[in-house]
Amino acid sequence: MKIQSEPRVLTSWQRPHAERGFTVVQLLVTITLIGIIAAFSLMAVGSARASMRLNGSTRELAGYLEKARSNAIRRNGESVVTILDANSYSVTMDFDANGTTETRTIRLQDGVIFPNGIGISARFNWRGRIDGQIRFELRNERGTDTSINLSGSGDVTIGSEIFVDSEIGEITLNSDVPNDVANTSGGTPLDTGYPTPTPTPTPTPTPTTTPDPTPTPTPDLLPTPTPLPSAIPTPIPTPIPTPTATATPTPTATPAPCVLSAPATLSLPKNGSPKTFSVVSIVNANNTLLTATTTGDISAITPASTTVSGNGTISYTISYANGSNKSGTVTISSSCGNKTITITFD
């Protein structure tokens, strides 16, 4: 006898373990977690990109400030960096090193602006200095700020490190230089040149001699039996010419004496080593050798020796240990004279 089995229907709670799936609640929780993680990731990526654009624009502006300063010193002229509007600034300098200045407009990266200070300019003179301390502020679209500080001496710093001008002591340049050395408005020593020789006395031109006239002979009458007078002429005198005048030799002009000038004292920042100063001037030099020696807390000076010709200002770089209550001397020796500068560090 054949028995036919009936098909078995399984309910959901009777299904085998391998056939079970996710519930709706589990799917919602998983999707929510994925969304939260993705949102935080996007926020982090956006913040990082905004920070990178802000840092890039800040360092680019700082780089142009450094280039403009060095360009002004190299050309012995002037360079200018000016904020035009909230998104751009201009740079005026000799970009191609061909002796001609040009102006280029630089734009900040996307999302970076100047929140204030529109129109301010950093104008570097021939010594790489500006009129006063300047602060450039930049901000990105997320409200993050950064700053560039430019001191009066032209030092560029980013962020919280600031060189405050009021903390740098005043330096008196060329305090004991006589009035025979003058500077032009641009700061370049004025070349007085050499004197034009004037002969004394003025030579007299060669005079032209004029011969004396021949006198008329006077006859001498002698009595004779025959009254025939015989005239005996007087000999004709020979004219004596006047000797030729000799001109006085032209005198040779004496060149102006060589003069070496430098201040007696100098005060430098206590934490500024190494430091460069250009306070030693010389005029009317002719292949003159200058040697520099130091004493006290000054450990080195560059250049130790140099040869100059004509007029100019010599720059020296000294090295010393940082800190206050230090001092030393720099002695410049040459055939034009010797100068000793007493240097203190405050």
Side-chain angles (χ1 to χ4, degrees), residues 24 40 43 63 81 83 86 94 101 111 136 156 192 223 240 248 271 333:
V24 175
F40 278 108
M43 291 174 60
V81 178
I83 298 180
D94 184 7
T101 59
F136 299 92
V156 180
T192 56
I240 301 175
T248 304
N271 296 325
S333 304

PDB file of all heavy atoms in Angstrom, residues 24 40 43 63 81 83 86 94 101 111 136 156 192 223 240 248 271 333:
ATOM      1  N   VAL A  24      14.323  45.366   9.472  1.00  0.00           N
ATOM      2  CA  VAL A  24      14.248  46.774   9.061  1.00  0.00           C
ATOM      3  C   VAL A  24      14.960  47.669  10.052  1.00  0.00           C
ATOM      4  O   VAL A  24      15.657  48.633   9.688  1.00  0.00           O
ATOM      5  CB  VAL A  24      12.776  47.185   8.893  1.00  0.00           C
ATOM      6  CG1 VAL A  24      12.667  48.678   8.577  1.00  0.00           C
ATOM      7  CG2 VAL A  24      12.106  46.360   7.816  1.00  0.00           C
ATOM      8  N   PHE A  40      30.876  63.450   8.963  1.00  0.00           N
ATOM      9  CA  PHE A  40      32.078  63.909   9.655  1.00  0.00           C
ATOM     10  C   PHE A  40      33.293  63.877   8.741  1.00  0.00           C
ATOM     11  O   PHE A  40      34.177  64.740   8.812  1.00  0.00           O
ATOM     12  CB  PHE A  40      32.323  63.050  10.902  1.00  0.00           C
ATOM     13  CG  PHE A  40      31.508  63.469  12.091  1.00  0.00           C
ATOM     14  CD1 PHE A  40      30.440  62.706  12.542  1.00  0.00           C
ATOM     15  CD2 PHE A  40      31.812  64.650  12.772  1.00  0.00           C
ATOM     16  CE1 PHE A  40      29.687  63.100  13.640  1.00  0.00           C
ATOM     17  CE2 PHE A  40      31.072  65.040  13.877  1.00  0.00           C
ATOM     18  CZ  PHE A  40      29.994  64.274  14.311  1.00  0.00           C
ATOM     19  N   MET A  43      33.152  66.905   6.489  1.00  0.00           N
ATOM     20  CA  MET A  43      33.488  68.119   7.228  1.00  0.00           C
ATOM     21  C   MET A  43      34.987  68.220   7.460  1.00  0.00           C
ATOM     22  O   MET A  43      35.587  69.296   7.323  1.00  0.00           O
ATOM     23  CB  MET A  43      32.738  68.140   8.564  1.00  0.00           C
ATOM     24  CG  MET A  43      31.241  68.322   8.433  1.00  0.00           C
ATOM     25  SD  MET A  43      30.396  68.177  10.026  1.00  0.00           S
ATOM     26  CE  MET A  43      31.183  69.491  10.930  1.00  0.00           C
ATOM     27  N   GLY A  63      56.139  85.278   0.863  1.00  0.00           N
ATOM     28  CA  GLY A  63      57.230  85.130  -0.099  1.00  0.00           C
ATOM     29  C   GLY A  63      57.389  86.351  -0.987  1.00  0.00           C
ATOM     30  O   GLY A  63      58.518  86.782  -1.271  1.00  0.00           O
ATOM     31  N   VAL A  81      54.338  96.520  -2.174  1.00  0.00           N
ATOM     32  CA  VAL A  81      53.293  95.504  -2.126  1.00  0.00           C
ATOM     33  C   VAL A  81      52.049  96.176  -1.554  1.00  0.00           C
ATOM     34  O   VAL A  81      52.089  96.719  -0.450  1.00  0.00           O
ATOM     35  CB  VAL A  81      53.693  94.293  -1.256  1.00  0.00           C
ATOM     36  CG1 VAL A  81      52.556  93.289  -1.187  1.00  0.00           C
ATOM     37  CG2 VAL A  81      54.953  93.640  -1.806  1.00  0.00           C
ATOM     38  N   ILE A  83      47.609  95.992  -0.947  1.00  0.00           N
ATOM     39  CA  ILE A  83      46.344  95.240  -0.950  1.00  0.00           C
ATOM     40  C   ILE A  83      45.342  96.021  -1.796  1.00  0.00           C
ATOM     41  O   ILE A  83      44.983  97.149  -1.468  1.00  0.00           O
ATOM     42  CB  ILE A  83      45.813  95.038   0.474  1.00  0.00           C
ATOM     43  CG1 ILE A  83      46.810  94.222   1.291  1.00  0.00           C
ATOM     44  CG2 ILE A  83      44.465  94.338   0.451  1.00  0.00           C
ATOM     45  CD1 ILE A  83      46.374  93.982   2.716  1.00  0.00           C
ATOM     46  N   ALA A  86      39.529  92.726  -1.400  1.00  0.00           N
ATOM     47  CA  ALA A  86      39.445  91.614  -0.455  1.00  0.00           C
ATOM     48  C   ALA A  86      40.055  90.326  -0.993  1.00  0.00           C
ATOM     49  O   ALA A  86      40.341  89.407  -0.210  1.00  0.00           O
ATOM     50  CB  ALA A  86      37.994  91.369  -0.068  1.00  0.00           C
ATOM     51  N   ASP A  94      61.264  94.623  -9.889  1.00  0.00           N
ATOM     52  CA  ASP A  94      61.933  94.177 -11.115  1.00  0.00           C
ATOM     53  C   ASP A  94      61.878  92.647 -11.170  1.00  0.00           C
ATOM     54  O   ASP A  94      62.785  91.964 -10.707  1.00  0.00           O
ATOM     55  CB  ASP A  94      63.379  94.678 -11.137  1.00  0.00           C
ATOM     56  CG  ASP A  94      64.092  94.319 -12.433  1.00  0.00           C
ATOM     57  OD1 ASP A  94      63.427  93.812 -13.351  1.00  0.00           O
ATOM     58  OD2 ASP A  94      65.313  94.544 -12.528  1.00  0.00           O
ATOM     59  N   THR A 101      61.117  98.123 -13.494  1.00  0.00           N
ATOM     60  CA  THR A 101      60.092  97.620 -12.573  1.00  0.00           C
ATOM     61  C   THR A 101      58.759  97.441 -13.303  1.00  0.00           C
ATOM     62  O   THR A 101      58.468  98.157 -14.260  1.00  0.00           O
ATOM     63  CB  THR A 101      59.895  98.574 -11.393  1.00  0.00           C
ATOM     64  OG1 THR A 101      59.505  99.865 -11.890  1.00  0.00           O
ATOM     65  CG2 THR A 101      61.173  98.714 -10.593  1.00  0.00           C
ATOM     66  N   GLY A 111      38.164  81.164  -1.519  1.00  0.00           N
ATOM     67  CA  GLY A 111      37.690  81.150  -0.146  1.00  0.00           C
ATOM     68  C   GLY A 111      38.537  81.944   0.819  1.00  0.00           C
ATOM     69  O   GLY A 111      38.176  82.086   1.983  1.00  0.00           O
ATOM     70  N   PHE A 136      49.310  92.174   8.145  1.00  0.00           N
ATOM     71  CA  PHE A 136      48.391  91.688   7.121  1.00  0.00           C
ATOM     72  C   PHE A 136      47.579  90.528   7.711  1.00  0.00           C
ATOM     73  O   PHE A 136      48.161  89.574   8.232  1.00  0.00           O
ATOM     74  CB  PHE A 136      49.144  91.200   5.883  1.00  0.00           C
ATOM     75  CG  PHE A 136      49.956  92.256   5.198  1.00  0.00           C
ATOM     76  CD1 PHE A 136      51.290  92.452   5.529  1.00  0.00           C
ATOM     77  CD2 PHE A 136      49.396  93.057   4.229  1.00  0.00           C
ATOM     78  CE1 PHE A 136      52.047  93.412   4.893  1.00  0.00           C
ATOM     79  CE2 PHE A 136      50.142  94.025   3.586  1.00  0.00           C
ATOM     80  CZ  PHE A 136      51.460  94.208   3.922  1.00  0.00           C
ATOM     81  N   VAL A 156      59.948  89.692   8.016  1.00  0.00           N
ATOM     82  CA  VAL A 156      58.633  89.099   7.756  1.00  0.00           C
ATOM     83  C   VAL A 156      58.459  87.874   8.648  1.00  0.00           C
ATOM     84  O   VAL A 156      59.290  86.965   8.632  1.00  0.00           O
ATOM     85  CB  VAL A 156      58.491  88.693   6.278  1.00  0.00           C
ATOM     86  CG1 VAL A 156      57.129  88.082   6.022  1.00  0.00           C
ATOM     87  CG2 VAL A 156      58.712  89.900   5.376  1.00  0.00           C
ATOM     88  N   THR A 192      81.570 113.623  -5.059  1.00  0.00           N
ATOM     89  CA  THR A 192      81.968 115.018  -5.265  1.00  0.00           C
ATOM     90  C   THR A 192      82.972 115.176  -6.390  1.00  0.00           C
ATOM     91  O   THR A 192      83.208 116.294  -6.855  1.00  0.00           O
ATOM     92  CB  THR A 192      82.570 115.586  -3.968  1.00  0.00           C
ATOM     93  OG1 THR A 192      83.668 114.742  -3.571  1.00  0.00           O
ATOM     94  CG2 THR A 192      81.519 115.563  -2.850  1.00  0.00           C
ATOM     95  N   PRO A 223     135.950 172.095 -44.175  1.00  0.00           N
ATOM     96  CA  PRO A 223     136.452 173.179 -45.066  1.00  0.00           C
ATOM     97  C   PRO A 223     137.616 172.691 -45.922  1.00  0.00           C
ATOM     98  O   PRO A 223     138.570 172.095 -45.414  1.00  0.00           O
ATOM     99  CB  PRO A 223     136.890 174.259 -44.094  1.00  0.00           C
ATOM    100  CG  PRO A 223     137.163 173.525 -42.818  1.00  0.00           C
ATOM    101  CD  PRO A 223     136.268 172.357 -42.772  1.00  0.00           C
ATOM    102  N   ILE A 240     118.095 145.363 -31.638  1.00  0.00           N
ATOM    103  CA  ILE A 240     118.285 144.284 -30.649  1.00  0.00           C
ATOM    104  C   ILE A 240     116.902 143.718 -30.313  1.00  0.00           C
ATOM    105  O   ILE A 240     116.077 144.403 -29.720  1.00  0.00           O
ATOM    106  CB  ILE A 240     118.963 144.814 -29.384  1.00  0.00           C
ATOM    107  CG1 ILE A 240     120.334 145.426 -29.755  1.00  0.00           C
ATOM    108  CG2 ILE A 240     119.106 143.703 -28.329  1.00  0.00           C
ATOM    109  CD1 ILE A 240     121.034 146.084 -28.596  1.00  0.00           C
ATOM    110  N   THR A 248     104.937 130.133 -17.611  1.00  0.00           N
ATOM    111  CA  THR A 248     105.088 129.395 -16.352  1.00  0.00           C
ATOM    112  C   THR A 248     104.465 128.005 -16.500  1.00  0.00           C
ATOM    113  O   THR A 248     103.367 127.886 -17.035  1.00  0.00           O
ATOM    114  CB  THR A 248     104.391 130.159 -15.212  1.00  0.00           C
ATOM    115  OG1 THR A 248     104.937 131.465 -15.152  1.00  0.00           O
ATOM    116  CG2 THR A 248     104.579 129.439 -13.875  1.00  0.00           C
ATOM    117  N   ASN A 271      69.477  89.979  20.774  1.00  0.00           N
ATOM    118  CA  ASN A 271      69.245  88.649  20.203  1.00  0.00           C
ATOM    119  C   ASN A 271      69.234  88.715  18.683  1.00  0.00           C
ATOM    120  O   ASN A 271      68.446  88.056  18.035  1.00  0.00           O
ATOM    121  CB  ASN A 271      67.932  88.057  20.727  1.00  0.00           C
ATOM    122  CG  ASN A 271      67.957  87.805  22.215  1.00  0.00           C
ATOM    123  OD1 ASN A 271      68.994  87.438  22.752  1.00  0.00           O
ATOM    124  ND2 ASN A 271      66.842  88.007  22.876  1.00  0.00           N
ATOM    125  N   SER A 333      90.900  99.657  10.067  1.00  0.00           N
ATOM    126  CA  SER A 333      92.212 100.249   9.837  1.00  0.00           C
ATOM    127  C   SER A 333      92.455 100.373   8.338  1.00  0.00           C
ATOM    128  O   SER A 333      92.117  99.483   7.567  1.00  0.00           O
ATOM    129  CB  SER A 333      93.305  99.385  10.479  1.00  0.00           C
ATOM    130  OG  SER A 333      93.059  99.193  11.862  1.00  0.00           O
TER     131      SER A 333
END
